[in-house]
Amino acid sequence: MEVDAFRRLFPLRFHERHLLESIRPDGRPLGRARDTTIALGAVASANGSALAKIGCTTMLAAVKLEVMTPKAESPDEGCIVIDFHMPPICSPLVRPGRPAEAAPVITKQLTDIILSSGMIDLKELSLVSGKAAWMAYLDIYCLDADGALFDAALLSAVAAFSHLQIPVVSLNDNGRIVLLSEENSGAMWEKEPVNKEKRKLKLDTLPFSLTCVLHKNYILADPSAEEESIMETYLTVVLDSSMQLVSLNKPGGPGLAQTSAIQDCVALTIQRVKELQKILNEAISDMEVD
Amino acid sequence: MEYVSPEGLRLDGRRPTEMRQFRAEVGVVAKADGSASFEMGNTKVIAAVYGPREVQNKGQQMNGQALVRCEYSMANFSTGDRMRKPKGDRRSTEISLVIRQTMEACILTHLMPRSQIDIFVQVLQADGGTRSACINAATLALADAGIPMRDLVTSCSAGYLNNIPLLDLNYVEDSAGGPDVTVGILPKLDKVTLLQMDAKLPIDIFENVMQLAIEGCKAVANYIREILLENTKKLEFRRGV
């Protein structure tokens, strides 16, 4: 029988034949992730943006800042709202009118992890205590869904926040915050700018993640969509740059993971975090050279 | 406000009959049967085509021809202020309908009965002319998917400000309140499939503006043909032909 037909009709046997040789259909060894690239500043109209690709999975993240009044119980803090979208272009399984099942799940996971990891100090988003603060809207669009959606989404979110530049604003006579653009910043020196210059957010530790699929006794790092659809269960580990565990997620599934499997996954994640940090730093320094 | 300076330059430095720079790429979404990205100046859109495939809603299945569906949506960050409702609002529904009817006119639907062709367009950055960029991207994506078509469909917009016909309006010129004529043509057959205009315009000036837009469409068509030719050569090379 032809290989393509066998792959479509008996996907489990096809993949297991490869696993016996400790290799995967695209030629990767079991513990290796796909090629990852990050491009910062992909959306010119946003305050911070990034395009992250892991293999074919593509995520476009953009941060837009709007001014709002902070809540009464935290007058010195801004706010971050994260939204993950899976538009119908990303996958043949997403139907228009019916949002993908994965989208709200990933939104919730991203929100929890970004807020709980302490990457961003919300006090940095404050403008005038009690009166004005920044609301950061982070929108992530999946442009191509080929497995490991959460990893790519988290990577693009972290890259977008690294690229974010807070614009210069000043308080005008009505007590409202007004954006100072470059043309009229010269004429507006009567109004005291609230922040002197465009600044970047001070990011504490950046969280990075790796999803591993657990199938019988095999652990496959960074699954593609085909592997995700036929394997038994998966485990997502999120570590921050100081190698502390931020989050672990194994959402049910028939495979019972022994603690040794979990430790193996954490070890694979530690390697992956080092790779991702290097890639992100290279992308940031490329931007600065420009 | 002056949209064309006395020297004849527009706000972004173009001449009145000059189009913005365009860039297209085929095969950007690996999972789709056909996909393309099209940029006209700062307007960037991605189109993905899935099909022909089985009809998802059996009640809509047509025995003699393929069902064509289209969805247009804008990213939240695509416009200057963040958009609240990127999909279900009236403008998006209208543009989805317009794109569907335009593409349906040129797809040979009778060759694929009882099937469905989905065209999804996502606007990543909007700076005027999103409708036209979407149609151009959809044409490329349909060609990439190998769906039989009568001809390419290309589209371009033109306007009339400060008594001068302008080609390919950007967002600032579009919101100036002057007329905005969007034209979609089948270039080889020399037929007009899409024609939309708003605001007031005297009839003789309308003829000029429409002709200008048609010239713009033909320029886009030449560019699209080059891109498809290059893409085919690459595929030939990869197959070792």
Side-chain angles (χ1 to χ4, degrees), chain A residues 7-283:
Chain A
R7 185 178 195 160
R8 283 298 188 94
L9 291 172
F10 306 106
L12 198 52
R13 276 162 59 182
F14 178 81
H15 282 87
E16 283 181 347
R17 285 269 200 92
H18 286 80
L19 290 177
L20 285 175
E21 315 283 328
S22 295
I23 205 165
R24 293 151 84 167
D26 55 4
R28 289 186 280 157
L30 300 187
R32 192 192 305 163
R34 292 169 288 184
D35 288 333
T36 310
T37 54
I38 303 179
L40 297 177
V43 178
S45 54
N47 300 101
S49 59
L51 178 75
K53 280 183 83 145
I54 298 186
C56 286
T57 301
T58 310
M59 297 280 168
L60 179 61
V63 184
K64 282 206 102 130
L65 294 171
E66 273 180 19
V67 184
M68 60 147 197
T69 34
K71 289 196 277 240
E73 52 277 5
S74 41
D76 275 326
E77 290 184 353
C79 174
I80 303 181
V81 175
I82 302 180
D83 210 359
F84 177 74
H85 309 256
M86 281 186 74
I89 60 172
C90 72
S91 159
L93 305 169
V94 177
R95 287 162 58 172
R98 198 188 266 184
E101 228 176 45
V105 172
I106 296 185
T107 306
K108 173 107 191 9
Q109 284 179 320
L110 279 172
T111 314
D112 287 342
I113 287 180
I114 290 184
L115 293 179
S116 73
S117 70
M119 172 171 90
I120 298 177
D121 183 4
L122 292 177
K123 294 201 175 14
E124 288 214 39
L125 293 175
S126 167
L127 278 169
V128 177
S129 172
K131 298 239 191 79
W134 288 117
M135 170 104 96
Y137 285 104
L138 172 66
D139 290 295
I140 305 179
Y141 280 80
C142 179
L143 299 179
D144 201 341
D146 194 21
L149 297 180
F150 176 74
D151 294 343
L154 183 62
L155 186 61
S156 65
V158 164
F161 275 117
S162 312
H163 179 247
L164 177 65
Q165 283 198 321
I166 303 188
V168 186
V169 290
S170 75
L171 209 48
N172 75 1
D173 308 316
N174 300 339
R176 279 154 117 246
I177 297 276
V178 148
L179 260 179
L180 276 184
S181 53
E182 269 94 50
E183 299 131 25
N184 47 17
S185 59
M188 277 197 181
W189 283 125
E190 319 94 60
K191 306 190 180 93
E192 180 65 33
V194 174
N195 48 344
K196 296 289 172 198
E197 52 178 10
K198 276 189 167 195
R199 62 184 170 93
K200 287 198 147 185
L201 275 184
K202 197 161 62 71
L203 296 175
D204 208 356
T205 48
L206 304 173
F208 295 104
S209 75
L210 180 65
T211 302
C212 300
V213 145
L214 305 162
H215 182 76
K216 304 206 177 131
N217 294 332
Y218 301 106
I219 300 177
L220 283 74
D222 190 23
S224 69
E226 209 186 334
E227 289 168 344
E228 269 184 358
S229 62
I230 53 173
M231 300 297 186
E232 290 177 341
T233 186
Y234 67 90
L235 172 66
T236 303
V237 181
V238 183
L239 295 175
D240 69 11
S241 14
S242 51
M243 299 305 171
Q244 279 198 325
L245 200 55
V246 172
S247 152
L248 264 179
N249 182 28
K250 182 185 175 305
L256 200 58
Q258 289 99 356
T259 41
S260 60
I262 300 182
Q263 281 165 354
D264 291 335
C265 291
V266 174
L268 283 171
T269 313
I270 292 180
Q271 258 183 333
R272 177 74 171 149
V273 166
K274 294 196 189 123
E275 272 171 37
L276 288 176
Q277 271 180 320
K278 208 164 71 109
I279 294 175
L280 183 60
N281 289 337
E282 269 172 24

Side-chain angles (χ1 to χ4, degrees), chain B residues 93-109:
Chain B
T93 318
E94 188 240 335
I95 299 185
S96 303
L97 183 73
V98 161
I99 298 180
R100 175 169 71 77
Q101 291 178 325
T102 310
M103 305 320 292
E104 214 170 5
C106 78
I107 296 177
L108 295 166
T109 50

